[in-house]
Amino acid sequence: MTTIPDPPSLIATLPGSFYTDPEIFRREQERLFESMWFCAVRCSDLDGPGAFRTVRVGRESVLVVRDRGGRLRAFLNVCRHRGARLCLEESGEVRRSLQCPYHAWTYDLDGRLIAAPHLGRMPDIDRTAQGLVPVELREWLGYAWLCLADEPPSFEETVVGAAVERLGDAAAIERYRVEDLALGRRVTYDVKANWKLIVENFMECYHCGTIHPELVDVLPEFATGYAAQYYVGHGAAFGEDVKGFTVDGSEGFARLPEVGEDQDRRYYAVTVKPTVFVNLVPDHVILHRMFPLAEDRTVVECDWLYAPDVVESGADLTKSVELFHRVNVQDFEACERTQPSMASRAYRSGGVLVPTEHHISHFHTWLTGRLGGSGT
Ligand code: FES
Ligand code: FE
């Protein structure tokens, strides 16, 4: 009789260099952030024609603007004349066109070159060909997702598919109508850690009992350290005495209208690789977008989204926002505590994952596959 040995309790993490090596970060920029769909902007932040925002996608600056027809468009933030950056501001509003401050080449909001000094004396210029370089844009969950790849991967498979894989079907996330929710609060965290430490942390709950007392009070099953959120379709149940997803378990707001009984009093977490976390609770949605800026620095924009009538009523969101804000601060402190050790000789060949963290190794396999090898 043959016996199948139990899998080992401890399996390897990535080596420390994956979190510190600028060359690995450069490959991640090229093969992940500049190749996959990247969640960039909340569409409602650009509320009228001419409203724009600039975002870093991999090594590029991208300009997202609402055109006069109300459509969102994205362009590389580079003047086609001699390459000056068109917009230096993070956000703003132009009246009718985008004008380069260097020699005043002027572009329509659809990207076409419409004016330039002495343009009339250059009749051979093709104004469309000399227009801004467009970037693919899709809207989903009320966000503009951008892709810099010449041939973008299937949005349905790689983005929507992540939610389907986690929740069991697409309807489960659609019921929250995230695209119709209003922004209640936004907090931007400047985290001195590699983006993968933040992803790995989000994927496990081994740390919940140690660093998230408030979260564990609301979601008692998190105290066990088992990442229940990773069983397909499972949402962590609120504790019996808990009235809402708030910092002290007090009442939240009314359940979002299409969220069903089966999703009530439950928390679902979805990771959309490479840089997005979606957290679903009955009365609001919390969405994290990461902007990896360097191998040891990641800006995280976190939005708390509520039914529009809740935000319009001026209701006090403090207790609702405070729960996940504390979770964020606790998580990011842990990541920042970990980052410097990635360069230590003690971590040269990495650390270990315990059984409740083993699923993180799928992320590592996916990552090293995309980067084309596990070494530097
Ligand atoms: Fe923009 Fe010359 S570089 S107008
Ligand atoms: Fe955490």
Side-chain angles (χ1 to χ4, degrees):
M1 196 178 102
T2 41
T3 49
I4 301 167
D6 285 336
S9 296
L10 300 179
I11 61 176
T13 66
L14 294 171
S17 60
F18 269 75
Y19 305 85
T20 59
D21 184 343
E23 171 55 20
I24 290 191
F25 185 67
R26 191 199 61 74
R27 270 156 59 189
E28 290 171 344
Q29 288 177 313
E30 182 188 316
R31 298 183 196 183
L32 304 177
F33 315 134
E34 296 168 17
S35 298
M36 301 177 68
W37 287 99
F38 188 92
C39 184
V41 177
R42 180 87 185 149
C43 304
S44 59
D45 289 350
L46 306 179
D47 50 2
F52 71 85
R53 178 141 183 210
T54 53
V55 284
R56 255 285 288 277
V57 181
R59 292 161 293 181
E60 296 281 5
S61 171
V62 179
L63 174 63
V64 185
V65 62
R66 197 173 287 284
D67 72 15
R68 277 200 291 279
R71 182 177 151 193
L72 282 184
R73 299 193 181 248
F75 307 102
L76 295 181
N77 187 12
V78 176
C79 178
R80 295 300 304 283
H81 174 223
R82 298 238 321 276
R85 186 156 284 195
L86 270 183
C87 295
L88 294 176
E89 304 86 354
E90 222 174 62
S91 62
E93 200 170 322
V94 293
R95 292 190 98 185
R96 302 189 61 79
S97 55
L98 297 154
Q99 188 175 64
C100 178
Y102 194 177
H103 313 86
W105 277 35
T106 305
Y107 303 89
D108 196 358
L109 300 182
D110 66 6
R112 253 177 348 115
L113 177 67
I114 50 171
H118 316 308
L119 190 61
R121 284 188 238 153
M122 298 178 268
D124 56 322
I125 286 190
D126 178 336
R127 297 180 181 204
T128 302
Q130 291 303 319
L132 298 175
V133 176
V135 171
E136 293 285 341
L137 184 153
R138 284 282 302 262
E139 293 186 29
W140 188 58
L141 304 181
Y143 287 83
W145 301 66
L146 309 177
C147 187
L148 297 176
D150 292 335
E151 290 181 24
S154 157
F155 191 86
E156 280 63 34
E157 279 170 31
T158 59
V159 179
V160 183
V164 173
E165 197 179 302
R166 164 68 187 89
L167 300 171
D169 61 48
I173 193 162
E174 283 162 13
R175 285 189 211 109
Y176 293 82
R177 295 274 164 230
V178 187
E179 63 280 15
D180 297 332
L181 300 182
L183 182 67
R185 192 72 55 84
R186 171 172 295 157
V187 180
T188 302
Y189 305 86
D190 195 338
V191 187
K192 306 289 181 293
N194 184 276
W195 67 281
K196 298 188 294 299
L197 289 180
I198 300 172
V199 173
E200 292 160 2
N201 172 78
F202 190 76
M203 292 179 85
E204 54 94 357
C205 209
Y206 191 45
H207 66 271
C208 291
T210 329
I211 70 172
H212 296 320
E214 302 88 354
L215 183 65
V216 163
D217 279 348
V218 173
L219 305 173
E221 67 186 78
F222 275 15
T224 65
Y226 279 84
Q229 69 264 41
Y230 279 88
Y231 303 139
V232 176
H234 179 81
F238 290 9
E240 265 179 40
D241 302 335
V242 169
K243 295 201 177 73
F245 196 77
T246 56
V247 72
D248 55 3
S250 58
E251 197 99 48
F253 301 102
R255 191 166 85 198
L256 295 169
E258 292 177 40
V259 170
E261 280 293 325
D262 55 329
Q263 289 171 303
D264 198 11
R265 297 182 57 76
R266 286 184 183 275
Y267 163 85
Y268 298 86
V270 181
T271 305
V272 184
K273 290 195 289 284
T275 52
V276 176
F277 311 138
V278 189
N279 308 270
L280 306 165
V281 290
D283 63 335
H284 64 286
V285 170
I286 305 151
L287 194 140
H288 298 77
R289 276 168 293 149
M290 288 194 286
F291 295 89
L293 297 186
E295 59 277 6
D296 56 359
R297 183 177 170 213
T298 309
V299 166
V300 185
E301 258 188 38
C302 186
D303 291 345
W304 281 258
L305 305 162
Y306 296 86
D309 60 323
V310 169
V311 176
E312 281 158 22
S313 73
D316 185 1
L317 305 175
T318 312
K319 286 188 173 177
S320 179
V321 170
E322 184 64 15
L323 175 55
F324 226 90
H325 172 60
R326 282 198 201 176
V327 169
N328 285 339
V329 169
Q330 292 154 349
D331 278 334
F332 300 153
E333 270 177 16
C335 293
E336 289 187 340
R337 188 187 184 100
T338 306
Q339 178 66 33
S341 309
M342 297 295 100
S344 165
R345 66 201 68 204
Y347 210 77
R348 222 171 250 160
S349 54
V352 291
L353 299 169
V354 301
T356 55
E357 301 170 307
H358 279 187
H359 55 280
I360 294 174
S361 68
H362 301 312
F363 170 61
H364 294 156
T365 306
W366 171 84
L367 180 99
T368 51
R370 283 205 66 109
L371 297 189
S374 57
T376 45

